[in-house]
Amino acid sequence: MAIIQMSLTSLSRIIPKPFKIYWRGYGGFQALRKSPYLYLSFALTWLLHGLWLPVNCDGQREWASLALSILPSMVSFSLGAMAIVFAMTSGAYVKLLHKDGAEDSMFMQLVAVFFHFVLLQILAIIFALAVEAYDTLLLSGVGFWLFTYSLLAGLAAAGNLILVADIKNSAAPLDD
């Protein structure tokens, strides 16, 4: 047990601070375990096995090029949406979002969800490139799962924007 604790402590020292902040804001393994998007992505990967299992006549998996054509635009959307969130810096609703600087504020949760979205997209791009270079069934399956999970994480991120809009709408009378 002491060895595991020592390993986790050592690992904690090499993880960059932004990832620690993200993981805390996201809710850690508990939030991941409770995510319906995670489980739905596994189901979609299984249901859509006809996209990631077969190879075309050139010996390539076509889903990888599809992912590489979709994901860069999604990364741009994600970063643009985060910029919009950061641009809204005044008003009563911002105070509600920030919750006096609390680590578990809605603001930190929103940023963590968008970071999660971007992280999944980047990982999916890396795996799609790996499948293009070193195609294996395992790489293809994991990469396609990351691709579907990143798409569903976009839905989760958009849902969080709805939550922020609801807070802004509720706080509007306070700005008068």
Side-chain angles (χ1 to χ4, degrees):
M1 188 66 161
I3 294 173
I4 293 172
Q5 183 65 31
M6 195 167 53
S7 296
L8 290 175
T9 303
S10 299
L11 182 63
S12 175
R13 279 187 240 142
I14 63 169
I15 296 173
K17 188 173 181 177
F19 286 92
K20 292 176 186 175
I21 294 169
Y22 142 69
W23 195 241
R24 185 176 53 243
Y26 183 74
F29 285 109
Q30 185 175 354
L32 198 59
R33 186 178 48 82
K34 291 180 178 179
S35 171
Y37 304 103
L38 176 70
Y39 297 109
L40 185 55
S41 69
F42 285 123
L44 281 173
T45 300
W46 180 76
L47 287 171
L48 299 174
H49 66 275
L51 289 174
W52 61 270
L53 278 175
V55 293
N56 64 16
C57 58
D58 296 326
Q60 297 286 88
R61 304 209 193 248
E62 292 181 13
W63 78 265
S65 60
L66 176 68
L68 291 171
S69 69
I70 293 171
L71 289 169
S73 299
M74 286 180 61
V75 171
S76 299
F77 160 78
S78 307
L79 295 174
M82 282 182 73
I84 290 168
V85 168
F86 282 122
M88 297 186 280
T89 58
S90 63
Y93 95 99
V94 173
K95 291 177 184 167
L96 293 171
L97 283 180
H98 287 265
K99 206 163 100 179
D100 293 327
E103 286 183 357
D104 66 339
S105 70
M106 179 66 184
F107 179 75
M108 289 307 293
Q109 290 174 17
L110 178 66
V111 171
V113 165
F114 270 93
F115 186 90
H116 189 70
F117 183 30
V118 170
L119 180 63
L120 289 171
Q121 292 168 59
I122 299 298
L123 289 173
I125 288 171
I126 290 168
F127 269 79
L129 289 170
V131 167
E132 293 268 319
Y134 310 102
D135 186 19
T136 68
L137 189 60
L138 179 63
L139 273 177
S140 184
V142 171
F144 190 81
W145 166 72
L146 281 167
F147 177 52
T148 59
Y149 188 27
S150 70
L151 294 174
L152 293 172
L155 184 59
N160 274 274
L161 289 177
I162 292 290
L163 295 174
V164 169
D166 186 52
I167 291 170
K168 183 164 178 52
N169 189 55
S170 298
L174 301 174
D175 284 334
D176 294 334

